[in-house]
Structure formats: C-alpha cells, structure tokens
Amino acid sequence: MVSRPGFLGVIARVFLWAFLLCLAVVVLYPLLWMVLNGFKTNTELFGDPFAMPSSWSFESYRKAWNRGVSGYLTTSVLVTLTSTLATVFVSAWAAYGLTRVNIPLNRVVTMGILGGLMLAPTVALVPLVKMFQAMGLYNSFWALLILYTAFRVPFTTFLIRAYMIDLPREVDEAAEMDGCGRWTAFWRIILPMCKPIITSTVLLHILFAWNEYLFAMVFTSGEGVQTLPVGLTSLMSRHGTDFPVVFAGMVIAALPVVLLFFLGQRYIVRGLADGVGK
C-alpha cells in the first residue's frame, strides 16, 4: 500500500516547484527578451524595451549576418571542432597511458598533468603573447587551437582517467591474448567502452571553446580569425549602435550552444556520474 504524502510533504513539494519555476524564469526570460529585441527597431527598443515588437521582421538578423556574423560563425565552428578533436584525442590517449600502461613515475606524471588544473589562464597571458609572437603564431587560427587544447587537456584527462580506472583489466588481457597491440586495444576496445565520458567531454569542450572570450580577444585581431564572442563587439559603434542588430547577432551566436545543451545534457550528466561519481 502506497502512503500519501503528508501536509508537510505537500508544502515542501509546492515550494520546490515554485523555486524551480522562478529559476526557469530567471534563466529563460533574458534569452526570450534578447530574441524579441532582435525583431524591433532602435526606436521601439528604447521606447519600451519590454514590449512585444510591432512587426516580426528578420531584417536585423539579415543585417547581423551580412555584417560579419557569418564569418565569425565559420571561424568559431572551425576552432571549436578542431580543438575538440585534438583535446579529446590527446586526453584519452594520455588517460589510457596513465591507467592501462605501467610507465615509470606514473604517479608523478599524473600529478603533473592534473597540476595544470591549478594554472589560471590570466597568469600566463603575457609570456604566452611573447612566445606566440616569436613563433609567428600570434593572430592566427593555430594560436587558438593550441591554447584551447593545452588548457583543457588536464581537465579532460582527469575526467577520462577517472572513468578508465574502473574498466576491467580482463579486457586488456583478452586483447593481448588475441594479438592486439596497444593502439588497437585503445582504439577498438577501450575507447568504445568510454563512450559516455567521451561524449561528456566533447560536449563540455564545445561549450567552453564556443563561449571563450579572453584568449580569442588577446590572441586575435583580424576579421578572418576572430570568433563569435569577440566578433560581436564589432557590431557596436561609437557613432550610434543598431542594438536590434547586436541582439540578433547574439541570438545567432547563442542558438547552436543552447540547442546542443538541451540535446546533450543527459549525456553530460550520465558521463560525469559514471566517471567521477564512481
């Protein structure tokens, strides 16, 4: 027999749902307000910023697209995809070596990699700028690719390593008996078994690389290499800003990440729960 919740239980549930509703409003309302303001004119926006637009014209979105958002979007997609592939591959291979291979000073190497989590990017900005200028990589696509990969490898390695530790050793022994080398065992056996955490790390890195602003602002200045977070600032003008166009560009920049988050949030939670939560 299932017992019904008491009075206090009902009150607690009501307060919980009320809190979640308020939280949803706090999170979703700014996004909705940004989308609606992309359909207004400057006069409507300053006249009543919280009113509905008088017409549903996509003119501001077209202007934002033609004023450089299309190029910034292409650069962001390229940088995000390549840095994701590089980061996840390097991290997975490093995690495999740290958990499945008996290497000298394994613990020291592990602590060295994880020590990268304590390095604040802002502390390394000045020497990194000098180094990249000397190497001829400043203001280039390669600068962002190297930086995004280097600063995310420790965190991604930490997640994948935590997952690989609990994989059964019998799998490695069976692969060795079948004549599989290290690379074959990693690529065809271990990596598919790590699919949940790999998916989580891919989604987390995409969210990071797509929204990253500091490195993209400092290490790029040309229009051909600027990503969306930095490129959107070019829509602002000292002599008068068309704010609906700015809001339209922000919507275009946010839409891929919002869709990706809602489609992949269950994979993020599952991968992290199966990995670090073990």
Side-chain angles (χ1 to χ4, degrees), residues 152-221:
R152 293 295 289 185
V153 161
F155 176 70
T156 309
T157 302
F158 169 74
L159 294 180
I160 301 177
R161 175 182 174 274
Y163 191 92
M164 282 189 180
I165 287 177
D166 290 326
L167 295 181
R169 290 284 181 176
E170 291 78 7
V171 174
D172 301 80
E173 297 174 359
E176 186 177 356
M177 292 178 62
D178 290 338
C180 293
R182 293 290 187 188
W183 173 255
T184 304
F186 165 75
W187 188 255
R188 295 189 177 183
I189 300 175
I190 301 299
L191 207 58
M193 294 177 66
C194 295
K195 184 179 179 180
I197 194 63
I198 294 295
T199 304
S200 298
T201 54
V202 166
L203 294 174
L204 289 174
H205 185 87
I206 290 176
L207 294 176
F208 159 78
W210 189 267
N211 296 310
E212 201 281 327
Y213 180 79
L214 180 62
F215 284 147
M217 178 188 66
V218 174
F219 289 89
T220 62
S221 59

Side-chain angles (χ1 to χ4, degrees), residues 59-78:
E59 182 65 19
S60 296
Y61 289 87
R62 185 188 65 80
K63 289 181 179 179
W65 186 263
N66 293 332
R67 290 183 185 179
V69 171
S70 58
Y72 303 138
L73 181 66
T74 302
T75 303
S76 287
V77 170
L78 185 61

Side-chain angles (χ1 to χ4, degrees), residues 30-43:
L31 297 177
L32 179 61
W33 185 77
M34 181 175 64
V35 172
L36 293 178
N37 283 334
F39 291 98
K40 297 180 181 179
T41 63
N42 256 343
T43 303

Side-chain angles (χ1 to χ4, degrees), residues 1-14:
M1 182 176 180
V2 179
S3 60
R4 295 182 179 180
F7 177 75
L8 293 179
V10 173
I11 295 298
R13 184 170 298 180
V14 170

Side-chain angles (χ1 to χ4, degrees), residues 10 12 30 36-37 62 67 77 79 88 91 99 117 133 137 143 149 151 177 181 211 222 227 241 258-259 270 273:
V10 173
L36 293 178
N37 283 334
R62 185 188 65 80
R67 290 183 185 179
V77 170
V79 171
V88 174
S91 301
T99 58
L117 294 172
Q133 287 176 340
L137 297 177
T149 302
F151 277 90
M177 292 178 62
N211 296 310
T227 57
T241 300
V258 172
L259 292 176
R270 178 188 172 190

Side-chain angles (χ1 to χ4, degrees), residues 38-154:
F39 291 98
K40 297 180 181 179
T41 63
N42 256 343
T43 303
E44 292 177 334
L45 181 59
F46 286 102
D48 191 352
F50 300 101
M52 296 293 290
S54 59
S55 63
W56 299 92
S57 173
F58 286 90
E59 182 65 19
S60 296
Y61 289 87
R62 185 188 65 80
K63 289 181 179 179
W65 186 263
N66 293 332
R67 290 183 185 179
V69 171
S70 58
Y72 303 138
L73 181 66
T74 302
T75 303
S76 287
V77 170
L78 185 61
V79 171
T80 300
L81 291 181
T82 52
S83 64
T84 299
L85 292 175
T87 301
V88 174
F89 176 77
V90 171
S91 301
W93 187 240
Y96 178 80
L98 294 173
T99 58
R100 323 302 287 189
V101 181
N102 294 323
I103 60 177
L105 302 176
N106 187 303
R107 186 176 296 274
V108 176
V109 175
T110 301
M111 295 302 297
I113 293 177
L114 298 183
L117 294 172
M118 297 180 290
L119 178 63
T122 52
V123 176
L125 276 181
V126 175
L128 283 174
V129 169
K130 295 294 184 180
M131 183 179 69
F132 276 67
Q133 287 176 340
M135 297 173 62
L137 297 177
Y138 185 78
N139 194 31
S140 68
F141 164 81
W142 292 103
L144 295 182
L145 174 59
I146 294 172
L147 290 169
Y148 288 179
T149 302
F151 277 90
R152 293 295 289 185
V153 161

